[in-house]
Amino acid sequence: MVIRLHARSAQIIVAGTIALVFLAASWAALRPWLAERSLSRDPTRETASRALSLDPANHRIRAMIAALHHYSLRLRDYPAALAAYQSILRDNPLDGVVWLHLGKLYAALGRLSESDRALRLAAQLGQSNTALLWETAVAYLDQEQPSRTLDALTGLLSASENPSDLAKGYELARTLLTSEEMLDTFILPTVAHYTRYANYLLDRNLNDQALAVWIRLADLAPRTAEPIDPYLQLRVVDLLMQAGRLDSAHQLWTAAVQRMGFADAKAQSNLVSNGSFEWNATVGRGFDWRIRGVSGVAASIDPFTAYTGRRSLRLIFTKSRADFSYVSQLVPIRPDATYALQAQIRTDGLTDPTGIAVEVIDPDGHALVTTDAITGTKGWTAVTAQFRASDGIEIVTLRVRKAPPPPYLPPISGVAWIDNVSLARVP
């Protein structure tokens, strides 16, 4: 009986000890949370003191109290904030965020040399912290120190690939520098940095400045043996075409589609880009097809119907009287040469005697050649035509054409598909 009582007493002691340990551990875990919660819900001097008494070693609470003394209109106390920041940094001198706030506080106190030292330490310690680098740049801007601002922004642009971070950095830098100075002194001369800045400019339709960046990028890339982003190349192709620099645009286009794996090795003689409509990424760009519907005509790529491959162009006519020529592309050619035009056309229930054709237009808008038109319901049918380009014609427009029905006939309905369009020089 005595042995059983002693055993039971021992069990009670062990259980009580475990419970006390558990309670102590729970309190240790809850204490920081309770302290931070009380301070965040009621930021007053009393709650700040109570929070610190609950967890005096809590680094986050000390930083929150320092920030309250620094930034709060109700609790502003610069000497208390300074003492708090300095106390935190004595324990953790590698805290870049605290160095940032200390630098701002020194600036507010007029101690600019100490502010500069603190902000430089913040930037050094937070080289991968884009938010800290941005705040450092803004702090220097507030002190009217443009060179230090630009140094911090350079760090920001080196640390981030996030478009919003890059845009903020570029926009602030552009308030301090001219467009020429941006390239000469600020944008790092690397393929990656030129690419990001060119995209930023193109997004904002700053086309002349984007071309200036492109010239530097195109000169640098071969010397560093680094590839250029083909999607940026496509954007520059569009820009060069708008500027009328078609030769340069076509050279760049050829390089871009080859790098993207879209060049058709089976038909190098075919001057048509994406004549089989298999490439999706380049449709609407550069020298690829421009595809647009109009009232009564839906134009799109059909992923399930093709003469060869998997895709083709599909036109759906629904009670249409449109003079349709809104699928086209520019094709560079050599003057004084003969060319053969070919295509495959399929129709289903196309209720119109004029039919679907493919034609080539010169720069003045005159038709150089038009294939036979296909109408009604027909399987894949080859259409061909030849023409000779006269002197002075170096680029033509290739387009799908559907003439409007005569006024005495009803509107057009039906479907047409076009595939395997080619234009080749005849030897």
Side-chain angles (χ1 to χ4, degrees):
M1 183 67 179
V2 173
I3 294 174
R4 288 181 179 176
L5 287 174
H6 281 302
R8 185 171 180 81
S9 298
Q11 289 174 350
I12 292 172
I13 291 171
V14 169
T17 303
I18 292 173
L20 289 172
V21 170
F22 175 77
L23 289 172
S26 299
W27 173 243
L30 286 172
R31 186 171 57 184
W33 179 82
L34 289 171
E36 292 178 28
R37 180 176 174 81
S38 65
L39 182 57
S40 62
R41 293 183 66 180
D42 183 23
T44 62
R45 295 183 190 278
E46 293 73 18
T47 54
S49 299
R50 187 161 56 250
L52 199 58
S53 67
L54 283 171
D55 195 9
N58 190 308
H59 177 82
R60 291 179 59 186
I61 291 177
R62 295 164 67 193
M64 290 171 68
I65 292 173
L68 285 172
H69 288 312
H70 184 181
Y71 298 108
S72 171
L73 294 177
R74 287 195 303 160
L75 303 180
R76 180 166 295 168
D77 185 339
Y78 283 167
L82 180 61
Y85 287 143
Q86 291 172 335
S87 173
I88 294 169
L89 290 172
R90 278 194 296 271
D91 294 338
N92 183 12
L94 302 180
D95 191 325
V97 174
V98 176
W99 279 114
L100 166 67
H101 292 300
L102 179 60
K104 291 182 176 182
L105 179 59
Y106 278 139
L109 294 171
R111 297 161 62 173
L112 297 184
S113 61
E114 293 168 290
S115 173
D116 180 56
R117 175 178 175 273
L119 292 176
R120 282 189 288 111
L121 281 170
Q124 291 172 10
L125 293 169
Q127 293 182 23
S128 61
N129 187 333
T130 57
L132 184 149
L133 293 169
W134 171 254
E135 289 296 330
T136 302
V138 172
Y140 275 128
L141 186 67
D142 289 341
Q143 296 179 34
E144 299 183 354
Q145 296 194 55
S147 62
R148 294 290 195 198
T149 301
L150 293 170
D151 288 342
L153 291 176
T154 299
L156 168 67
L157 298 181
S158 298
S160 179
E161 296 182 8
N162 183 289
S164 62
D165 287 339
L166 297 176
K168 287 196 307 183
Y170 294 142
E171 286 164 10
L172 181 53
R174 287 168 61 85
T175 65
L176 303 172
L177 300 171
T178 66
S179 58
E180 292 80 11
E181 289 170 337
M182 286 288 292
L183 280 179
D184 292 338
T185 65
F186 182 68
I187 302 298
L188 295 177
T190 68
V191 168
H193 284 278
Y194 281 149
T195 298
R196 294 169 192 164
Y197 189 47
N199 277 315
Y200 163 84
L201 294 170
L202 288 170
D203 288 342
R204 287 152 182 80
N205 296 318
L206 300 170
N207 296 340
D208 291 341
Q209 296 179 43
L211 275 179
V213 179
W214 170 254
I215 290 170
R216 298 201 183 197
L217 174 57
D219 177 68
L220 174 67
R223 292 189 279 112
T224 61
E226 294 178 80
I228 299 177
D229 177 14
Y231 291 97
L232 173 60
Q233 290 179 304
L234 293 180
R235 301 188 76 179
V236 176
V237 167
D238 291 334
L239 190 57
L240 292 171
M241 292 176 72
Q242 292 173 20
R245 298 167 58 179
L246 297 178
D247 287 343
S248 299
H250 195 258
Q251 291 175 10
L252 183 56
W253 168 262
T254 301
V257 295
Q258 285 177 347
R259 177 161 181 79
M260 297 171 76
F262 295 148
D264 189 354
K266 296 180 295 183
Q268 290 295 329
S269 61
N270 185 7
L271 302 177
V272 178
S273 295
N274 198 12
S276 59
F277 301 93
E278 297 294 319
W279 316 341
N280 187 52
T282 55
V283 170
R285 309 293 299 274
F287 290 86
D288 205 323
W289 298 102
R290 299 306 206 262
I291 299 175
R292 180 167 66 90
V294 293
S295 178
V297 186
S300 63
I301 300 297
D302 187 335
F304 305 110
T305 303
Y307 177 74
T308 60
R310 299 169 58 184
R311 297 153 60 95
S312 66
L313 172 70
R314 178 178 60 199
L315 302 175
I316 301 176
F317 296 87
T318 306
K319 297 182 179 179
S320 170
R321 289 193 175 276
D323 185 353
F324 184 81
S325 58
Y326 298 100
V327 175
S328 65
Q329 66 172 258
L330 293 177
V331 182
I333 62 171
R334 293 184 181 181
D336 197 24
T338 301
Y339 292 88
L341 171 63
Q342 299 182 22
Q344 292 286 338
I345 300 178
R346 174 184 167 186
T347 56
D348 183 11
L350 196 59
T351 60
D352 175 55
T354 58
I356 294 284
V358 180
E359 62 183 11
V360 176
I361 305 299
D362 70 13
D364 294 325
H366 301 129
L368 297 175
V369 71
T370 303
T371 68
D372 292 337
I374 306 298
T375 189
T377 299
K378 289 187 179 179
W380 288 109
T381 304
V383 292
T384 62
Q386 284 194 3
F387 70 96
R388 185 169 184 82
S390 60
D391 286 339
I393 295 182
E394 297 182 346
I395 193 161
V396 294
T397 299
L398 177 65
R399 69 186 189 183
V400 177
R401 178 71 195 286
K402 172 68 190 72
Y408 55 82
L409 290 179
I412 302 166
S413 295
V415 185
W417 293 265
I418 296 92
D419 202 0
N420 283 33
V421 184
S422 69
L423 183 67
R425 186 178 180 185
V426 177

